[in-house]
């Protein structure tokens, strides 16, 4: 069956502020991404997703847009975007932009006009109320309603006060957003990552969310978000968006779905549409919030696959700009991190990587005085915010680590030089080479991208065991999620031991390959090919 690129791609997320600075202001820019294009090719990725680069006062570092059709000067110009698209396309790399449709910046001209009076042309572009109508909370703390002195009404903001929510019940807003998509599609953008897309449509009468009993640190988590998220009308809007995007060849939509933690995979899957007519892909972040444990990871991955079903495509992700980096979540344990990468890159569907993940880059330590993220400022020291996961890329061991000639906007990771691309290139056992090898294998072997996935029973619950199959091609994965050596035998008569040939290991294989049972070293992951029955 023919597949399109988004059904089996590897997307590399760039947080543009932190990737490569070329003008010495300590902030990454579009020319920086262009400069590193050959590195990106060398990774074997298929697409780049750029966190927002549009004009923004940066209250939430670009997730508060004041002009959707222009580039913030800190990142460059529209000409730079055109050049980026050209340079990427020449190398067969797609460009995905981040699109923030739930809210704008408070400085967007629409909001500036909307707040002037109750009857101006943009009066209904946002959600206004004479009094606080319900119990809705902002995801970043405080109530979701703020008073505007000028209009003498409250406006809704699901995130910061600087991010007023758009009114998707106003057809003019819908048309405006769709024409923004068209603007970028016409320019050659290959797809969009849609920010908190299940939040765009709100309850018509703004009913209060039901409260949850118990106690949680964030007031936002003390209610069931049934009236400010996931409204049925969202699906219709997504179907329209899908039609618009599908009118262009080979474009795609991947949606961020806000869920209750650790995850609601069925909900994330529901936005692909029962008839595959909404988002092309959606994110499930369960693995990022699930303890690193064989049973739990297997259960979580299975649940996601079941929610997606055979005819739709799952996407997989361990890192992004909102969550601590995986190596830091795993307390710096490189063997565990490699195991996690092996799990990630042997799943069916599309994979999302986050810049620096391929280096095993940990979170930066960000002292109070250097905090930039509004969440960090609000919640430190209880929550350090998201800056640690947004530290600069490490290219070399020179001053500024090849990222900048100036003063970096965020601190570098501790021991930064040891993670540098230039260093890792020289070391065959580095994380960088490990990621390249896994990516390379995935690119070469269809079975990893499209094959079915079945979990097999073993006698050892520290080990995750699954088989990928595509026609005659079969691969077996054994992953030891424990810090001890484990013996495993597979209780499946279809796969006798003698048929397996070791293809890849996350660590040097120390065990006897001929032994009746498999022996896995602590945190070791192995990939085996299965000899075909006829051979
Ligand atoms: C989700 C984005 O990933 C996050 O960085 C942002 O702060 C919120 N949406 C609000 O746009």
């Amino acid at each position: 069956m023919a597949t399109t690129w988004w059904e089996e791609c590897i997307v590399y997320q760039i947080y543009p502020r932190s990737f490569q600075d070329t003008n010495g202001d300590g902030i990454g820019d579009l020319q920086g991404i262009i400069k590193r294009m050959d590195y990106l090719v060398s990774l074997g990725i298929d697409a780049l997703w750029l966190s927002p680069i549009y004009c923004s006062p940066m209250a939430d570092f670009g997730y508060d847009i004041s002009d959707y059709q222009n580039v913030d000067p800190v990142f460059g110009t529209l000409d730079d975007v055109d050049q980026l698209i050209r340079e990427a396309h020449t190398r067969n790399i797609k460009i995905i932009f981040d699109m923030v449709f739930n809210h704008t910046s408070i400085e967007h001209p629409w909001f500036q006009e909307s707040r002037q009076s109750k009857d101006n042309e943009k009066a209904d572009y946002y959600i206004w109320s004479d009094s606080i109508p319900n119990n809705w909370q902002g995801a970043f703390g405080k109530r979701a309603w703020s008073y505007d002195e000028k209009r003498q009404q409250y406006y809704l903001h699901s995130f910061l006060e600087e991010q007023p929510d758009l009114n998707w019940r106003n057809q003019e807003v819908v048309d405006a957003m769709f024409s923004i998509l068209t603007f970028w599609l016409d320019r050659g953008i290959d797809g969009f990552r849609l920010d908190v897309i299940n939040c765009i449509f709100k309850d018509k009468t703004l009913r209060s969310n039901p409260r949850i009993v118990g106690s949680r640190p964030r007031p936002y988590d003390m209610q069931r978000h049934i009236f400010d998220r996931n409204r049925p009308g969202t699906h219709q809007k997504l179907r329209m968006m899908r039609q618009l995007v599908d009118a262009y060849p080979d474009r795609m939509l991947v949606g961020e779905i806000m869920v209750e933690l650790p995850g609601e995979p069925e909900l994330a899957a529901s936005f692909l549409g029962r008839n595959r007519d909404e988002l092309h892909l959606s994110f499930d972040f369960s693995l990022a919030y699930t303890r690193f444990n064989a049973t739990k990871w297997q259960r979580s991955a299975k649940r996601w696959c079941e929610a997606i079903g055979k005819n739709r495509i799952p996407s997989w992700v361990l890192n992004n700009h909102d969550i601590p980096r995986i190596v830091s979540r795993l307390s710096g344990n490189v063997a565990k991190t490699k195991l996690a990468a092996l799990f990630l890159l042997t799943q069916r569907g599309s994979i999302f990587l986050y810049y620096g993940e391929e280096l095993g880059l940990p979170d930066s330590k960000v002292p109070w005085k250097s905090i930039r993220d509004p969440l960090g400022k609000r919640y430190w020291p209880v929550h350090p915010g998201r800056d640690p996961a947004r530290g600069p890329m490490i290219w070399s061991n020179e001053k500024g680590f090849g990222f900048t000639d100036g003063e970096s906007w965020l601190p570098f990771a501790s021991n930064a030089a040891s993670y540098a691309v230039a260093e890792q290139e020289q070391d065959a056992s580095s994380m960088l080479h490990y990621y390249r090898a896994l990516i390379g294998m995935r690119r070469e072997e269809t079975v990893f991208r499209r094959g079915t996935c079945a979990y097999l029973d073993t006698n050892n619950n520290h080990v995750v065991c699954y088989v990928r199959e595509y026609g005659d091609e079969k691969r077996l994965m054994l992953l030891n999620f424990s810090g001890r050596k484990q013996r495993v035998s597979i209780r499946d008569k279809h796969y006798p031991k003698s048929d397996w040939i070791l293809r890849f290991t996350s660590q040097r294989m120390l065990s006897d390959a001929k032994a009746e049972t498999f022996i896995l070293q602590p945190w070791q992951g192995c990939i085996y090919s299965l000899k075909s029955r006829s051979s």
Side-chain angles (χ1 to χ4, degrees):
M1 198 177 68
T3 50
T4 35
W5 67 275
W6 57 267
E7 294 184 88
E8 47 182 49
C9 59
I10 299 185
V11 181
Y12 183 89
Q13 182 193 354
I14 289 181
Y15 195 69
R17 294 182 79 83
S18 295
F19 194 62
Q20 175 70 68
D21 174 24
T22 57
N23 62 1
D25 64 359
I27 299 174
D29 42 50
L30 290 172
Q31 281 301 327
I33 301 172
I34 293 168
K35 177 175 161 191
R36 296 299 183 178
M37 202 54 85
D38 289 333
Y39 169 75
L40 296 165
V41 171
S42 82
L43 291 178
I45 52 117
D46 303 290
L48 297 177
W49 149 28
L50 272 55
S51 283
I53 47 98
Y54 320 100
C55 294
S56 164
M58 305 288 168
D60 190 17
F61 293 104
Y63 287 92
D64 50 321
I65 300 172
S66 54
D67 183 351
Y68 285 83
Q69 295 184 187
N70 225 323
V71 176
D72 196 278
V74 83
F75 297 121
T77 62
L78 279 174
D79 284 345
D80 293 332
V81 170
D82 293 341
Q83 189 188 345
L84 176 77
I85 296 173
R86 270 196 317 274
E87 301 272 354
H89 285 176
T90 324
R91 294 166 173 87
N92 249 328
I93 290 181
K94 313 265 183 198
I95 300 287
I96 298 169
F97 267 14
D98 215 317
M99 197 42 84
V100 188
F101 274 171
N102 179 66
H103 45 267
T104 67
S105 159
I106 204 157
E107 289 183 23
H108 195 291
W110 296 337
F111 188 79
Q112 288 307 317
E113 191 173 339
S114 190
R115 65 189 287 250
Q116 296 306 319
S117 64
K118 292 176 190 160
D119 54 9
N120 64 74
E121 276 191 13
K122 301 282 187 289
D124 292 331
Y125 264 51
Y126 296 85
I127 301 169
W128 294 95
S129 173
D130 287 332
S131 56
I132 295 177
N134 56 32
N135 67 352
W136 296 358
Q137 296 287 322
F140 290 167
K142 304 194 183 166
R143 269 187 179 279
W145 297 93
S146 285
Y147 190 67
D148 183 69
E149 292 291 347
K150 182 84 192 162
R151 179 152 155 167
Q152 304 210 333
Q153 273 189 315
Y154 291 87
Y155 64 92
L156 176 69
H157 52 86
S158 297
F159 296 88
L160 298 173
E161 299 89 297
E162 292 89 344
Q163 294 168 300
D165 282 28
L166 284 159
N167 176 13
W168 275 74
R169 288 181 183 275
N170 177 349
Q171 188 56 38
E172 279 180 46
V173 168
V174 178
D175 294 344
M177 296 333 252
F178 284 15
S179 82
I180 290 164
L181 287 180
T182 307
F183 172 84
W184 290 110
L185 290 166
D186 288 342
R187 252 190 144 91
I189 290 298
D190 301 289
F192 301 95
R193 175 266 187 189
L194 301 175
D195 191 67
V196 295
I197 197 63
N198 59 327
C199 298
I200 56 173
F201 216 64
K202 314 292 192 292
D203 180 50
K204 197 170 184 180
T205 55
L206 305 174
R207 280 171 284 180
S208 278
N209 286 322
R211 298 183 68 74
I212 284 175
V213 275
S215 83
R216 303 196 185 172
R218 209 171 49 151
Y220 185 80
D221 298 320
M222 288 301 301
Q223 39 189 256
R224 280 182 53 224
H225 293 277
I226 59 172
F227 292 123
D228 57 349
R229 295 196 313 221
N230 310 323
R231 298 308 297 159
T234 317
H235 294 280
Q236 186 239 352
K237 297 289 175 259
L238 286 180
R239 279 194 289 275
M240 287 164 63
M241 256 185 248
R242 173 72 176 252
Q243 277 169 22
L244 186 154
V245 168
D246 279 355
Y248 291 76
D250 269 354
R251 315 294 169 103
M252 75 99 149
L253 297 171
V254 52
E256 182 201 27
I257 311 299
M258 253 190 123
V259 294
E260 307 286 341
L261 297 180
E264 293 178 272
E266 297 76 16
L267 182 72
S270 75
F271 291 100
L272 303 182
R274 277 198 210 102
N275 301 319
R276 307 175 61 182
D277 54 358
E278 298 182 31
L279 298 169
H280 297 80
L281 299 172
S282 68
F283 289 118
D284 169 53
F285 301 111
S286 306
L287 287 180
Y289 293 98
T290 298
R291 245 186 56 215
F292 197 67
N293 160 298
T295 319
K296 292 196 160 63
W297 270 45
Q298 173 168 327
R299 195 182 298 141
S300 168
K302 261 180 105 169
R303 184 171 160 196
W304 178 225
C305 289
E306 277 161 19
I308 289 286
K310 283 201 179 62
N311 297 324
R312 301 184 299 187
I313 305 291
S315 75
W316 300 89
V317 58
L318 297 177
N319 291 292
N320 68 26
H321 60 292
D322 292 331
I323 46 186
R325 286 178 178 272
I326 180 133
V327 64
S328 298
R329 300 202 302 268
L330 298 175
S331 314
N333 185 321
V334 172
K336 283 189 186 180
T337 308
K338 284 188 166 174
L339 189 68
L342 192 145
F343 190 83
L344 176 77
L345 285 154
T346 52
Q347 299 300 324
R348 176 175 86 90
S350 287
I351 312 288
F352 285 73
L353 305 177
Y354 182 52
Y355 80 98
E357 175 174 343
E358 76 281 17
L359 306 179
L361 188 67
D363 284 353
S364 292
K365 292 203 171 59
V366 183
W368 163 246
K369 66 171 185 6
S370 307
I371 292 181
R372 309 294 295 266
D373 178 25
L375 273 192
K377 289 189 175 156
R378 192 168 276 179
Y379 291 115
W380 190 90
V382 178
H383 189 305
R386 300 163 296 176
D387 294 323
R390 299 172 179 181
M393 182 70 174
I394 313 293
W395 296 102
S396 68
N397 57 12
E398 299 147 18
K399 183 172 173 287
F401 299 103
F403 166 67
T404 183
D405 292 337
E407 206 46 53
S408 169
W409 79 290
L410 274 182
F412 295 98
S414 316
N415 296 323
S418 63
Y419 301 101
V421 172
E423 298 293 310
Q424 296 205 27
E425 290 284 10
Q426 310 303 318
D427 173 5
S429 68
S430 66
M431 190 66 90
L432 176 57
H433 282 288
Y434 180 76
Y435 262 80
R436 277 211 189 107
L438 278 170
I439 294 170
M441 196 158 64
R442 187 178 179 86
R443 280 185 84 92
E444 271 162 34
E445 302 178 26
T446 318
V447 60
F448 287 115
R449 305 189 307 272
R450 294 185 212 165
T452 57
C453 179
Y455 287 88
L456 302 189
D457 268 354
T458 73
N459 59 341
N460 189 325
N461 60 11
H462 293 295
V463 175
V464 175
C465 171
Y466 50 102
V467 173
R468 304 287 317 276
E469 268 191 71
Y470 185 75
D472 282 346
E473 291 295 312
K474 298 178 177 68
R475 300 288 179 273
L476 173 84
M477 267 56 67
L478 285 176
L479 286 81
N480 176 6
F481 274 68
S482 85
R484 295 191 165 187
K485 213 186 239 190
Q486 300 290 343
R487 287 173 181 277
V488 202
S489 49
I490 293 167
R491 295 172 174 156
D492 193 311
K493 60 181 184 328
H494 300 297
Y495 301 103
K497 163 82 172 69
S498 52
D499 281 357
W500 297 332
I501 307 163
L502 180 68
R503 281 286 315 281
F504 185 92
T505 164
S506 66
Q507 308 169 30
R508 212 151 53 84
M509 185 71 167
L510 300 173
S511 53
D512 177 1
K514 292 205 181 75
E516 263 318 299
T517 44
F518 291 91
I519 300 172
L520 296 169
Q521 298 304 314
W523 313 118
Q524 186 176 31
C526 293
I527 302 177
Y528 301 84
S529 332
L530 295 182
K531 282 189 214 150
S532 75
R533 278 299 120 102
S534 52
S535 65

